[in-house]
Amino acid sequence: MTTFHMPADEAEARAIQDSLRARVVLDEPGPPPGTGLVTGVDVAYDEKKDVVVAAAVVLDAETLDVVDEATAVGTVTFPYVPGLLAFREMPTVLEALESLTVDPGLVICDGYGLAHPRRFGLASHLGVLTGLPVIGVGKNPFTFHYEAPGPLRGDTSPLLDGEDEVGRAVRTQEGTKPVFVSVGHRISLDNACAHTLRLARRFRQPETTRRADALCRQTLREATA
DNA sequence: GCGACAG
DNA sequence: ATCTTGTCGC
């Protein structure tokens, strides 16, 4: 497992992404939906943007029951720069994941994997550092373009960077905006979309993300109070 | 040079 | 991400 290194500036951060990108594994199908464990990770920031809380919530993939959860509180040491999000969140996210008492199985995180200017978003980075299969599910199309998917749950359309399909817009609920799924590590795009759809039975976002979001926000309130 | 820009 | 009133809809 590779150790996280905090770059001194944006140029070094981009160089790290260009270097680690070669370690992304794209030829594995990933675990079948509905089996094993699935882990959601998310972070929340305080008003001053200097405290960050990460949460990891492990669910049984079939029942969606909570199996384990962990949080970590850290300090933000890198500014938000589109394309360099991982350097803000990675240290605290890794700490939360390492605090779990079970194997996380498949990880679902906010943001993107291959759908990234250098094809190495947060989900790819997290996958390479942990070795775990990772999916990226974003709420916005970032800098990419797409045609609206059909109106029904399960309808999809390609997320395009020019001619390249870097991810997929997935309609998880009728009457709501799609989410944007991309491959992080050790999973296919088809399977990533199938997992996302299965985990978003009731709401727009996957249950893993919703649980992790609620936990890190609650923990932030308690840590800030 | 200007606009766009995951969280 | 987070700040935030009112407002639309179930």
Side-chain angles (χ1 to χ4, degrees):
Chain A
M1 179 189 296
T2 310
T3 321
F4 177 78
H5 167 67
M6 184 61 75
D9 51 37
E10 296 182 19
E12 187 187 355
R14 294 189 182 90
I16 290 172
Q17 292 179 329
D18 288 335
S19 168
L20 292 181
R21 184 177 50 231
R23 303 201 204 176
V24 175
V25 173
L26 299 175
D27 59 1
E28 288 185 28
T35 64
L37 301 179
V38 289
T39 296
V41 296
D42 193 19
V43 304
Y45 303 92
D46 84 333
E47 300 173 344
K48 299 176 181 178
K49 290 280 194 291
D50 57 348
V51 173
V52 55
V53 174
V57 180
V58 186
L59 307 183
D60 180 295
E62 189 192 348
T63 64
L64 301 188
D65 290 334
V66 177
V67 171
D68 193 16
E69 57 182 38
T71 61
V73 182
T75 302
V76 176
T77 62
F78 202 88
Y80 171 66
V81 179
L84 301 179
L85 176 65
F87 299 98
R88 262 173 93 71
E89 311 195 336
M90 193 65 71
T92 316
V93 165
L94 287 175
E95 195 181 329
L97 278 175
E98 288 163 4
S99 298
L100 294 172
T101 59
V102 299
D103 185 292
L106 174 67
V107 175
I108 295 88
C109 65
D110 274 15
Y112 288 115
L114 281 182
H116 178 274
R118 284 169 298 283
R119 300 293 184 273
F120 194 75
L122 174 65
S124 316
H125 205 149
L126 186 58
V128 165
L129 293 189
T130 63
L132 298 167
V134 183
I135 297 173
V137 179
K139 299 180 287 296
N140 303 293
F142 201 3
T143 65
F144 306 109
H145 294 173
Y146 70 104
E147 303 284 304
L152 302 180
R153 171 178 155 78
D155 286 343
T156 68
S157 60
L159 184 63
L160 298 172
D161 184 2
E163 303 291 272
D164 300 333
E165 182 182 38
V166 294
R168 214 165 272 166
V170 178
R171 181 145 271 145
T172 55
Q173 302 294 326
E174 297 180 16
T176 62
K177 297 189 307 179
V179 296
F180 302 89
V181 177
S182 64
V183 167
H185 187 59
R186 298 182 56 200
I187 192 162
S188 70
L189 182 55
D190 280 345
N191 199 20
C193 292
H195 272 100
T196 300
L197 200 56
R198 195 179 204 288
L199 290 169
R201 264 294 164 198
R202 178 110 166 68
F203 299 97
R204 178 185 177 227
Q205 294 202 17
E207 199 57 32
T208 39
T209 300
R210 298 187 68 251
R211 282 281 176 55
D213 181 73
L215 179 56
C216 66
R217 292 174 65 164
Q218 175 198 316
T219 305
L220 178 64
R221 285 197 302 267
E222 296 169 351
T224 301

